[in-house]
Amino acid sequence: MSTPTRRTALTAATALTGAATVAALSPAALAAPSGRTTPVVSDSAAVTPQEAASRAVAATSSLLSHFQAETDPDMLIEQYPRQEHDPEFTYVWPLSQARAALTELIAALDGPGPGADTGNLDTAAADAALIRAQEHYWYPAGGTTGLPGYTAATNSTDGANGDFFYDDNDWIALLEIEQHLFTGGARGDLDRVGQLLELFRSGESTDPTLASPGGIDWTQGDWNHDRNTVSTFPSAKVALRWYQLTGEEKALEDALRWMAWGRDTLLAPNGLYWDNIKPDGAIDRTQWTYNQGVPLGCEVLAYEITGEKEYRERALSLVEAIIGFYEPFTRGAGLDTQPIQFNAILASNLLLAESVLGAQVQGRTIVEAYAARLWEDRRDPETDLVTGSRETESGTHLLDQAGFARTLALAALGRPLWRHLS
């Protein structure tokens, strides 16, 4: 299988920006907050539940119409408008986030609340199409560990191709679980989740000569040997959910071990998580929002499962650090400079945390304020596409639109469904 260039390009572009941001912060900014943070009063107008649902429908409808592939109506493209060197179909990571946006929109519309007019959007048909699209990336022959999974890329000529990325597969596994929980077991492929959990187990580093042995590799590609927050904690979250669904003790043991490694290796003095550790022990100290959201979700689920207060306290401390560092209630502050798709993952886990730990998490307040800013500041009113796309210099990238649509869907999601979020 050939190595895709999408990951290399995205990592180089975003890591440079993130590293520069962290380097520019003063020691005071990196210090852990000392107490619960009170939100700043938002300058955005209040949004009714009906308006929130309508906004989510608009963003998702725009995604599905503008990013539909020319050669297969089930598939999506990477950018709108298409760029000269784009692949035929988007990579699996943006596809997973587009599917997450639709899944959460469907849950919001079907759940408690006023709902919204979906117009020409057939949500059931769109859901079925994106599930079919996802399976074009499935590679049953397996990667370097001999276990099947989803590859980074696919096209009409070669089929599934490219390296396996453990985080790509994590997002899909979490989404299958989320859909299963949203629908009371009617949807969501748990058999596939079980297969992917075995893949994640096969990616755990066991080389004792490495700095800080343990953790889960980012990719199976021989060009990168990092162990990342974003591959280790999402795998732990899958395992925690798997334990809740099946009672498999090994899954709980795996999850807690992976979480402990992540805390010991990648938790920074300011209470937030760094990105990854290199084989020689060098640490990429970039602090992306999704690298805070998934560990938060893991601590919450570990508390829900075990009842042990240490997990609750870790979760609340992480919430404090998130609010203090990213200033999520302030227009133009740290949260607004992060990738939208990363913020959507953080938002999902904040709502999960509030559903278990209570209103002191401020998940709803953060998500609603951020969704309102995106709608007011980043939306093209003629197309409902997000503007100022971070992932491309021209037009809109699917990742940005998916993060936009997902955030709006989360803002419309009824509270009883928050505890099912991925």
Side-chain angles (χ1 to χ4, degrees):
M1 295 185 292
S2 61
T3 300
T5 59
R6 188 270 304 180
R7 281 285 183 155
T8 307
L10 284 182
T11 302
T14 56
L16 179 62
T17 304
T21 300
V22 172
L25 292 170
S26 65
L30 290 172
S34 59
R36 304 287 183 232
T37 306
T38 302
V40 175
V41 176
S42 173
D43 59 355
S44 298
V47 178
T48 67
Q50 179 75 48
E51 289 172 325
S54 296
R55 290 178 177 187
V57 168
T60 304
S61 296
S62 182
L63 184 158
L64 294 169
S65 61
H66 286 93
F67 289 88
Q68 187 176 57
E70 306 88 344
T71 56
D72 185 333
D74 286 347
M75 305 298 286
L76 301 179
I77 60 174
E78 187 87 347
Q79 301 180 83
Y80 178 82
R82 177 184 284 280
Q83 305 298 303
E84 181 180 358
H85 300 294
D86 284 353
E88 181 184 8
F89 305 131
T90 187
Y91 294 95
V92 75
W93 150 236
L95 180 79
S96 72
Q97 298 311 289
R99 190 180 160 215
L102 178 62
T103 298
E104 288 156 6
L105 172 65
I106 292 171
L109 297 176
D110 290 347
D117 180 5
T118 58
N120 294 326
L121 174 61
D122 184 336
T123 56
D127 181 48
L130 290 187
I131 292 172
R132 290 192 298 269
Q134 177 181 287
E135 294 312 297
H136 282 272
Y137 300 82
W138 181 248
Y139 195 76
T144 60
T145 63
L147 295 173
Y150 292 95
T151 59
T154 193
N155 60 53
S156 299
T157 303
D158 304 318
N161 66 89
D163 291 318
F164 281 24
F165 290 86
Y166 289 100
D167 59 328
D168 286 352
N169 285 273
D170 279 315
W171 305 129
I172 293 171
L174 287 168
L175 185 55
E176 296 295 349
I177 294 168
E178 182 179 279
Q179 190 173 53
H180 174 86
L181 295 173
F182 277 158
T183 63
R187 305 296 302 277
D189 189 345
L190 292 191
D191 289 338
R192 181 54 49 83
V193 175
Q195 289 179 290
L196 292 177
L197 180 55
E198 292 304 318
L199 175 68
F200 307 147
R201 287 167 168 157
S202 78
E204 184 175 7
S205 172
T206 57
D207 183 351
T209 67
L210 290 175
S212 189
I216 294 177
D217 293 333
W218 180 49
T219 178
Q220 292 185 358
D222 60 8
W223 48 274
N224 183 287
H225 300 285
D226 298 347
R227 288 157 291 149
N228 288 46
T229 298
V230 77
S231 48
T232 303
F233 277 95
S235 297
K237 193 173 182 187
V238 172
L240 290 166
R241 286 296 197 191
W242 190 250
Y243 173 80
Q244 288 180 317
L245 289 165
T246 69
E248 183 192 296
E249 291 288 344
K250 185 177 186 299
L252 180 57
E253 293 169 4
D254 289 340
L256 298 181
R257 182 177 66 257
W258 296 337
M259 291 167 62
W261 176 86
R263 283 191 228 101
D264 292 343
T265 305
L266 293 170
L267 184 60
N270 69 339
L272 299 177
Y273 283 87
W274 290 317
D275 190 68
N276 67 74
I277 185 170
K278 313 294 181 186
D280 64 359
I283 291 179
D284 180 340
R285 296 171 185 264
T286 312
Q287 293 186 318
W288 300 117
T289 46
Y290 72 163
N291 281 339
Q292 322 315 321
V294 185
L296 173 61
C298 286
E299 300 290 1
V300 169
L301 291 179
Y303 170 66
E304 190 173 47
I305 289 167
T306 69
E308 295 180 13
K309 293 182 179 178
E310 63 183 292
Y311 298 113
R312 181 179 184 275
E313 289 307 308
R314 288 195 190 106
L316 292 174
S317 293
L318 187 48
V319 170
E320 287 182 9
I322 288 166
I323 294 174
F325 189 82
Y326 298 107
E327 299 180 82
F329 304 105
T330 303
R331 179 173 261 109
L335 185 72
D336 291 0
T337 67
Q338 289 272 316
I340 300 176
Q341 69 274 15
F342 291 3
N343 289 345
I345 292 169
L346 171 62
S348 175
N349 284 277
L350 284 167
L351 292 177
L352 168 64
E354 182 170 340
S355 74
V356 175
L357 304 180
Q360 62 186 310
V361 174
Q362 303 178 53
R364 178 196 288 276
T365 310
I366 292 170
V367 173
E368 289 181 350
Y370 180 57
R373 290 199 302 274
L374 287 178
W375 184 263
E376 294 164 7
D377 301 345
R378 300 285 301 276
R379 165 182 162 266
D380 179 345
E382 294 185 2
T383 63
D384 291 317
L385 290 171
V386 69
T387 61
S389 190
R390 181 184 178 124
E391 304 294 345
T392 179
E393 295 180 357
S394 176
T396 301
H397 196 284
L398 179 57
L399 274 172
D400 291 284
Q401 187 66 22
F404 176 51
R406 188 176 186 187
T407 301
L408 295 173
L410 290 168
L413 192 67
R415 185 188 182 93
L417 297 174
W418 294 353
R419 66 190 315 114
H420 301 325
L421 285 165
S422 62

